[in-house]
Amino acid sequence: MGSREHKIVCFMCNWTFCQSETHVPSNVNVVRVMCLGRIDPVIVLETFEKGADAVMMVGCKPPDCHFIEGNVQAERAVKMLKKLVALAGLEPERIKLLLVSPLEDKSFNHYTKQFSSEIAKFGSSPFKIGKLKPEFIVNVLAAKNAASDFRLRVLLGREKELTESVNVYGEKMPKEEFDVLLDEIVKEEFIRHKFHLLTKTKPLSVKDLAKTVEMKPADVLRQIVDMRRRNMIALDHVEGTTPFYKALEVK
Amino acid sequence: MANINHTNVKKFPPCRTACPAHVNVQGYVSLLQRGKFKEAVELIRKDMPFPAICGRVCFSPCEDACARTNVDQAVAIRALKRLVADIEREQGRVTPKSIPKKHSEKVAIIGAGPAGLTAAYELAKLGYPVTVFERMSENGGMMRYCIPDFRLEKFVVANEIAYIKDLGVEIKTGVEFGKDITLESLRNEGYKAIFIAIGAQQGMKLNVLGEDLEGSINAVDFLRAVALGEHINVGEKVAVVGGGNSAIDAARTAKRLGAKQVMILYRRSREEMPALPHEIAEAERDGIEFYFLVAPKQIIGENGKVKAIECLHMRLGEPDASGRRRPIPISFSEHQYKVDTVIPALGQIAEMSCLPEEFLDKEARMPSMQVDPVTLETKMPGVFAGGDIATGPASIIEAVGAGKRAAVSINLYLIGRDLREGREGNIEETTWVKNWGHIRKKERRYDSPLEKPRLSFEEAKEYLKNIEQKAMFEAFRCLGCGPCAECLGNLELCEADKAVVDEGLCTGCNVCAVVCPFGAIKKNEKEVAQVNEDLCKGCGICAARCPEQAITMKKLPNEQMMSLALATAKE
C-alpha cells in the first residue's frame, strides 16, 4: 500500500475498544487516554508540528460515553481544530474523528486501513519533507498558540453553557450563531497570533503586516488595537509618521 | 487490613451501597471491562469469600440499585460475578498466601454457614487463629444443605470453603453446640471471643390437622434430605405451601424427583410473593403450577398417609406489619386437592434450645437472639451473634454482611478498643448522575447473554466457552457512576489519575467547573479551582479546556501524552 509510510497518531478512548479488538498496524501509534475529551487541541497541533501525517481520534458514539459527554467535548475540539488546521495550510481531512459504539462488533484494523487510504492522496506531512517555507512554520505555530490561548479555550469550554442553557438575560444562543461566532473568533485569534509571531523577530508596521498577510491595512490596525489592549504587542518606535510594533512576551 | 478500616464517611456507588456486604461492584465490573478476570475475583474476595455462590443465588440488591436502570436495564452484575468465579475455578483456583498469625487470641465461631464462615475469613485475614464448629458433617450451612443442586452445586460451595481453609481457618465438623460444646467449655479451652451464627434451621409448622401424617415433610427437612442423598418418594402429586424461595426450591426439586404435578399454594397473590422474580419464572418454565389466594385448612389422610389437602380461598385485606396485604379467609370456600405429598415451606426459625435463656428476645415476632444491631454484641462480653439467628431468616449476602460486622467487632474487642469506633456504618451513596430527566429511557439493545436457564440437575458448562467477549460488553454497560471504583490500580490508565490544579496559574475563570461532567471542580474561597478527588474520575476534560493550562493530570500529563504520541511518529 502506498500509504505505508504515513504515520498516523491515534488518540483512543480507553473504553471504546476492548484490548482484544485492537490490532494495531505498524504505521499507527496508539495513545490510550481515559476519555477523548482529554485531548487538548494544542496537543493535536503539536503532533502535526512534530511530524505526524495524520491524527485519528477514536471515541465512543453518543450516547455511550463513560464520562457522559466527553465525546461531545471531543467533537467540539475537532470542529475548531479543523478550522485552525485549514487556516494553517494543512488539509483538515488529516484529522479524523471516529466515534464508534463500544457495544458493536468492530475491527480497529478496518478503520485504520480506511483512514490510511483516505489520506494517501495528501502525501506526507510538509513537516517531514524538510525544506519548509518559513511562512508555513509561522502559520502552524500561530494555530498552536491560538489554540493554547485563553479566548478559544474559554469559548470551547463554554459552548455547552452558551448554546444549551440561557444566560442571565434569559437569552439562548442558537447553534448556528455559535458556529458563526466560533468561525470569526478562530480567524481573529489565528491572525493575531500570526502578527504576534511576525513582530517577535523585528518590529513591523501595519503596512508591512498587511502586505505579508494580504489584508487591508484597516483590518490589520483593528487587530493591532485589540492586541495592544491585551498586552500582546507594544509600540516599539516611530519612523517618520509610521509606528512600528513589537511583540511582547505573553506570560 | 484491607477492608476493615477506621475511616469516617465512605462514598460508594449505589450498587455497593445497596449490597449488605458492600462488595466493590463498580471495581470488579471495571476490571471485567478490561478483561481482567483473575483480578476481578481477587477484588471480590477482598470484600467477601463467596463470589461463585453469590454469583448464583444472591438476590442481587446491587442490580436493583444500578443507575443503568435509568437508561435501559441494570448491568447483569450477578451473572458477571458468577462468570469470573467460574472462570477462575475452571482455570485452577488461586491459593491464598498464608497470613502470619499476628494475634494470639483464639476465636471460636459456631456454625459454618455464610455468616460464620465470613467472620472466620475476615478474622483469619487479620491474623487471628480461628476455629469454626459445625454440627453437620459438611460445611456450608444452608448454602450446602438447603439450596438444591440445580441452583448451587455442592462442589462450588466446597471450592469456596476450601479457599477459607487455605487461609488457615480450622473447621471442626460434627460438633454440636449445646451438646458437645457450650459457651463455658469454649471459654475454658481458651477462646477469647465467640461468634454464634447457627442460623435458622428449623422449618415452621403449618399448625393444621394432619401435619404429622406420612407424606408431609417440611421444606427445609425435605431439601436437606435430598442434599444428603436420602431417597424420598414424593409420589405423583405434590403440594408446596408457601411463597418464598425455599417453596420454589422445594417445588422444583420435587419435580426433578419425578412428581408429575407440582403445585405451589400461596395465601396471597403473586405480587406479594417473597420469592425472587426470576426464580418464579424458572419454576413456571419447569411446569410448576401456582395457586394463589389459597391457604391449607387441614391435611386429609388415609391409612396414616397423606391423601389430599383441604384449602380455603382467601381475599386480601389491609396491609399488615410487613407491609403486605393481610390474607383473610373466605368462609365456606373449602375445597380439596388430591396430593401424595405436602411440603410446608413457611420459613425457618432458629433452634433456641441450645442457647442460654438470657439471650432470647421474647418480644420479637419470631424467636431470635437479642443483639446490638451495629456491633452484634450480646449481653455477655466477648460473645457475639449474627446472621439468621439474630435477624430471622434472610439471605446469604445479608449473612455475609453480618459476618463482616462481627469480624470488625471481634477485632475491636480483642484489641481493646471501643466497638463503635469508626464503624463502616457511615456510608454515603455518591453518584455523578444527579438528574436523569434529560435521558429518555431506551429499550435495552440486546439481551444479556450471560444468564442461562438451568433445567436439569446438571449445570450447563458450555456457557463458559466464548463468553469472555460478551461479558466484557456487558461490563461495559456499567456507567461507572460512583466515585473512583478503587479497583486498586489494576487498570493501567485509571490508577489514581486525578486532575491537579496549579493554584498559581488558575485565574478562577470557572471553565473547568463547567466542563467537568461530574461536578468535581468547584471554586474555593480563594477563588481558585479545587478538585474533589472523591468525585474526579480522571477523564481529563478539564485539563484539555483550562484556558491557563493550569490543570494537569497526575498520571498522564500533556508532556507524557506527547512523548507517547511521538514515540513512532518521528522517524
Side-chain angles (χ1 to χ4, degrees), chain A residues 14-15 38 68 73 153 158, chain B residues 432 476 509 545-546 556:
Chain A
N14 202 15
W15 311 93
R38 165 80 181 90
I68 313 181
Q73 291 284 7
R153 295 174 80 91
R158 294 212 182 255
Chain B
W432 45 262
F476 190 90
C509 69
R545 291 285 179 275
C546 175
L556 192 72

Side-chain angles (χ1 to χ4, degrees), chain A:
Chain A
M1 239 166 110
S3 60
R4 202 171 35 127
E5 305 88 326
H6 273 132
K7 280 284 163 204
I8 300 173
V9 173
C10 170
F11 293 104
M12 189 196 280
C13 164
N14 202 15
W15 311 93
T16 315
F17 282 87
C18 290
Q19 225 93 33
S20 55
E21 288 173 324
T22 10
H23 169 78
V24 183
S26 59
N27 66 324
V28 180
N29 187 21
V30 174
V31 183
R32 272 185 182 264
V33 288
M34 281 295 280
C35 175
L36 204 57
R38 165 80 181 90
I39 302 303
D40 196 322
V42 183
I43 288 178
V44 177
L45 290 164
E46 205 169 319
T47 324
F48 279 117
E49 191 197 324
K50 298 275 165 67
D53 293 312
V55 170
M56 195 161 146
M57 293 170 71
V58 184
C60 311
K61 201 182 203 165
D64 285 325
C65 178
H66 206 85
F67 301 100
I68 313 181
E69 47 165 34
N71 44 12
V72 184
Q73 291 284 7
E75 266 179 339
R76 287 174 190 148
V78 168
K79 191 169 71 183
M80 190 190 89
L81 264 171
K82 289 202 171 189
K83 286 179 180 156
L84 277 173
V85 165
L87 284 170
L90 273 167
E91 296 85 355
E93 288 82 1
R94 285 186 195 263
I95 299 174
K96 180 164 178 155
L97 176 70
L98 184 70
L99 298 180
V100 289
S101 166
L103 302 170
E104 282 161 16
D105 280 329
K106 56 203 177 299
S107 142
F108 182 63
N109 208 7
H110 165 77
Y111 290 121
T112 46
K113 266 191 187 155
Q114 202 184 352
F115 187 44
S116 293
S117 62
E118 273 172 31
I119 58 163
K121 59 173 183 266
F122 300 129
S124 287
S125 156
F127 280 101
K128 242 187 347 207
I129 302 168
K131 274 191 278 170
L132 278 168
K133 281 187 218 149
E135 162 93 6
F136 185 72
I137 300 180
V138 167
N139 277 347
V140 173
L141 272 177
K144 203 178 103 181
N145 289 352
S148 61
D149 199 6
F150 192 85
R151 204 163 161 219
L152 275 181
R153 295 174 80 91
V154 170
L155 193 66
L156 215 53
R158 294 212 182 255
E159 174 170 349
K160 187 185 174 189
E161 212 182 32
L162 287 169
T163 56
E164 284 176 20
S165 52
V166 291
N167 65 9
V168 283
Y169 306 108
E171 298 161 341
K172 193 174 164 183
M173 189 182 248
K175 266 226 149 66
E176 304 73 41
E177 201 177 302
F178 181 84
D179 284 344
V180 173
L181 185 73
L182 180 71
D183 213 36
E184 227 168 74
I185 295 181
V186 166
K187 270 186 200 145
E188 256 178 33
E189 283 298 302
F190 175 74
I191 207 76
R192 282 179 193 173
H193 280 277
K194 200 170 166 183
F195 290 161
H196 185 250
L197 284 166
L198 287 170
T199 52
K200 226 176 188 171
T201 41
K202 61 168 193 208
L204 291 171
S205 67
V206 171
K207 264 186 211 158
D208 298 334
L209 284 170
K211 216 157 89 188
T212 334
V213 299
E214 291 167 8
M215 272 170 73
K216 280 186 204 155
D219 292 341
V220 175
L221 185 64
R222 218 179 62 217
Q223 302 299 342
I224 295 286
V225 171
D226 267 342
M227 284 169 76
R228 283 186 73 174
R229 206 165 50 211
R230 272 172 63 185
N231 279 336
M232 283 173 83
I233 209 165
L235 185 66
D236 191 61
H237 62 276
V238 184
E239 277 176 29
T241 52
T242 319
F244 277 71
Y245 299 94
K246 189 165 171 59
L248 288 174
E249 210 48 56
V250 182
K251 261 185 255 158

